[in-house]
Amino acid sequence: MLNIVLFGPPGAGKGTQAEFLIESYGLIHLSTGEILRNEIAAGSELGLEAKKFMDKGELVPDQLVVKMIEAILESRREAKGFIFDGFPRTVDQAKALDAMLEKHGTGISGMLSLEVEKQELINRLLSRGKVSGRVDDQNQKVIENRIQVYGEKTLPLIEYYKPQGKHFGIDGMGSIEEIAGRLKEVIEKL
């Protein structure tokens, strides 16, 4: 199984690049943001609880995210592999993901980390907010808080995967095609 953690700050292009990886490798995209938005739209108990945190630009608590991800993993046992987009976001989530995957006889193949300059992230998110209507992409203060939370709570994941030889930094600046080419180079080596 090819299991990829697609990593990077909000606005790094994870969703766009995940589409390329799905098409190229036949993987199933697990976007925590999308899963959470679907739960919120459905008005589920988990979704409403998650919304309280998301509206402030904060991370959704681990136990909520882990419950949603595990249910999907169990329902898609025939998969060639998964792209984890937006999960794990903390070392505790990474450990929980490793334990969950180990139960299913698999593990993480690699963490592909998209690296993008802060101002470019802000510009991308504000632009996306105009098109998508997403409230969390329309307020610069919320965006800056999301980037700061990423730096404080999520960036340490690199140090979790590095000693395992699973961290790969990818230049996330440039055209979609250029970035996709960089990702493909790394995946071919996995």
Side-chain angles (χ1 to χ4, degrees):
M1 230 182 204
L2 179 64
N3 294 313
I4 305 284
V5 173
L6 192 54
F7 189 75
K14 296 181 298 290
T16 301
Q17 293 303 326
E19 291 174 26
F20 160 75
L21 297 174
I22 292 162
E23 194 175 300
S24 299
Y25 300 99
L27 304 175
I28 294 173
H29 185 211
L30 289 180
S31 164
T32 314
E34 192 174 301
I35 293 166
L36 290 169
R37 284 188 292 277
N38 289 343
E39 292 287 331
I40 290 167
S44 75
E45 187 179 329
L46 288 175
L48 294 174
E49 196 172 336
K51 187 177 186 321
K52 293 175 191 172
F53 295 93
M54 290 172 70
D55 285 348
K56 293 184 263 178
E58 295 176 2
L59 294 178
V60 175
D62 292 356
Q63 65 272 18
L64 289 178
V65 178
V66 170
K67 284 179 189 176
M68 292 179 212
I69 295 286
E70 188 159 25
I72 293 169
L73 285 174
E74 289 177 356
S75 71
R76 304 301 299 266
R77 293 176 191 246
E78 80 295 344
K80 290 180 181 178
F82 294 91
I83 299 170
F84 295 93
D85 170 4
F87 181 88
R89 288 187 184 220
T90 65
V91 171
D92 286 342
Q93 286 180 357
K95 290 176 180 176
L97 178 61
D98 284 348
M100 204 186 321
L101 291 173
E102 193 174 310
K103 278 195 306 191
H104 297 283
T106 189
I108 294 299
S109 307
M111 173 212 226
L112 307 181
S113 178
L114 294 170
E115 299 166 353
V116 181
E117 297 165 9
K118 182 179 177 183
Q119 190 56 52
E120 177 67 14
L121 296 172
I122 293 168
N123 295 344
R124 287 181 186 180
L125 290 168
L126 288 171
S127 178
R128 182 173 80 183
K130 289 176 187 169
V131 175
S132 71
R134 280 181 52 180
V135 175
D136 60 334
D137 286 344
Q138 294 178 13
N139 181 321
Q140 187 159 337
K141 284 187 181 180
V142 171
I143 289 170
E144 288 176 2
N145 186 50
R146 287 166 60 201
I147 293 169
Q148 183 178 340
V149 168
Y150 167 83
E152 293 168 0
K153 297 190 176 180
T154 307
L155 211 50
L157 271 177
I158 290 173
E159 296 310 315
Y160 176 76
Y161 285 110
K162 247 185 200 174
Q164 300 174 37
K166 295 180 180 178
H167 169 261
F168 303 92
I170 311 286
D171 180 3
M173 300 289 287
S175 73
I176 291 169
E177 294 78 16
E178 289 169 336
I179 299 163
R182 293 179 199 130
L183 288 169
K184 188 173 182 175
E185 280 179 37
V186 172
I187 290 172
E188 298 299 323
K189 295 175 186 172
L190 294 178

